[in-house]
Amino acid sequence: MDQTARPPTATPPAAAGAYEASLSRSIGVGGNILITLSSISPASSVFILGGSALALFGTGVFWAFLIAGVVSILIAFCYAELASAYPVAGGDYSLVSRALGPAFGVATFFISLISLPLIIAVFALGVADYLGVAIHGLSPQQTALVVVVITTVTACFDIRTNAWLTGVFLGVEMAALVLLTVLGFVHMERPLSSLLSPEVLDPATGQLAPLAISGLMLAVTQGIFAYNGYGGAVYFAEETKNAARSIAKAVIWSAVITVATELVPLIAIMVGARSQTELFGSSLPVEAFLTERAGHAVAMVVMLSIALAVINAIIAITLQAGRLLYAAARDRALPGTVAAPLQAVSTKGRVPVLATVVMGAIAFAACFVPLDVLLTATGSTLTFTYLFIALAAINHRRGGTARPGYRMPLWPLAPGICIAALGLVFVVTLLDPEQWLSLGISLGLVAAGFVYFALYLRPRKNTHLLLLDAAPEETC
């Protein structure tokens, strides 16, 4: 595939202090939302994370995921304001670098550089579990390797093609969520008010018992993780039309749709299950509910649709990963010999092909790492990323220097609540010895980012880490 840059005649000249536009600004708010929702994969979140939460926290999932939804919307406000002010490719790294400071931005880059390909590997290793309902004997690792290759190649297509493709797959998984919702509310066994008192299955008695506050807080953290991904809209800021005005809409709508499409089906499952004790006692609660209400054949079809949803998520995350590496190379956050080829885009599709392939190759290699190690390595990274985004949203307006664009309501309430909630997450993590290794890995990545900035980038501040704006799009 041709890796030469976009022809100069097709690009408006970059303004002083701006990058020359290289990516294809060819999708609207809707296309951005489709890709972003695909990376979140609400259906797989409901089946995997939601199912796990039901088994661990019972009806506490209602309050936990509701609180997590509020926190997620507030974080989305932070993303939206920052992205409107800095509509540059690169996601969290680009926003934090410009609004909080380059040292924090590089730390965020280190987190994303490692976590994105590892998350791809985690998703890919789980595909065989869902395809296995139709194709028995699949090897999780071999299946994952094939999936990573296919999705990496797909992510090298132009952004409009990927928006269309991920949109089709997203429609399939949304249909699965609608089915769960209908089955639950049509067969309601108990009123919605029954969810107001959080109860969990007590293994000793086999009956429901009140859920402790500490358990509810742990459930909130799982809810925040289940909703994660709406900030992915920022990765495509330079490929979205009228990004300075529309990217905020893409972020907020992605968050709202995610919360609704995950919380409502989980509520329907809890009120529609014949027995909550059997539901919460099942190893796979969502699958058990689906089989109970729709039969084995329908459950099998839905499981296959979840496999498509996971593959769809991998495509979308690979798209994000490629743009992260491309943005860092273009900012010269990497050594020149490394950055030069990684910032090139294809002539025809104007896609950062090499950067995408490199991130896909890292994900391919990660498929050889045990799954529990991958989960540990990525477990606490989200907390640091959200913390930096919330701090950036406060620092962005400090001294009245904020750029024009979207303004979140009731600033600084949203980032303030987010910081408090994330502080609580840190406390819960510190109280759980099983999370210490994950927290230590995340702290190590943050520290490595600060050290790299201090020793390599800061001494070269005149030639490296050039945090410029993207050139304005053509108006003709």
Side-chain angles (χ1 to χ4, degrees), residues 249-459:
K249 297 178 183 178
V251 172
I252 294 173
W253 275 111
S254 294
V256 170
I257 294 171
T258 297
V259 172
T261 55
E262 292 186 25
L263 180 59
V264 173
L266 288 171
I267 291 173
I269 290 169
M270 288 186 283
V271 299
R274 289 196 181 99
S275 168
Q276 287 187 334
T277 55
E278 292 181 6
L279 176 71
F280 302 148
S282 173
S283 58
L284 297 171
V286 180
E287 288 86 338
F289 168 80
L290 184 61
T291 302
E292 173 188 280
R293 289 304 189 188
H296 178 73
V298 173
M300 180 175 172
V301 172
V302 173
M303 290 300 100
L304 290 175
S305 74
I306 299 304
L308 290 177
V310 174
I311 293 172
N312 194 34
I314 296 172
I315 294 173
I317 297 172
T318 304
L319 288 167
Q320 296 174 4
R323 277 122 184 106
L324 167 73
L325 191 56
Y326 159 81
R330 194 180 64 177
D331 288 345
R332 298 183 188 175
L334 304 172
T337 55
V338 176
L342 291 175
Q343 65 180 317
V345 300
S346 59
T347 301
K348 184 177 181 180
R350 291 156 58 191
V351 175
V353 175
L354 183 58
T356 302
V357 170
V358 168
M359 296 300 274
I362 296 174
F364 185 91
C367 292
F368 292 96
V369 178
L371 182 60
D372 58 341
V373 176
L374 294 174
L375 292 172
T376 299
T378 58
S380 298
T381 56
L382 177 63
T383 305
F384 284 93
T385 299
Y386 279 175
L387 177 61
F388 291 161
I389 287 291
L391 291 172
I394 291 178
N395 194 61
H396 164 65
R397 291 204 203 178
R398 193 179 65 177
T401 59
R403 294 184 171 198
Y406 170 79
R407 289 287 182 270
M408 74 179 79
L410 301 177
W411 181 91
L413 185 62
I417 292 176
C418 292
I419 292 171
L422 293 169
L424 182 60
V425 170
F426 274 118
V427 172
V428 171
T429 302
L430 287 172
L431 294 176
D432 184 0
E434 293 183 0
Q435 301 299 320
W436 289 354
L437 179 58
S438 175
L439 182 61
I441 291 173
S442 297
L443 284 170
L445 291 173
V446 171
F450 279 108
V451 170
Y452 175 72
F453 172 78
L455 298 183
Y456 182 79
L457 291 175
R458 187 164 59 183

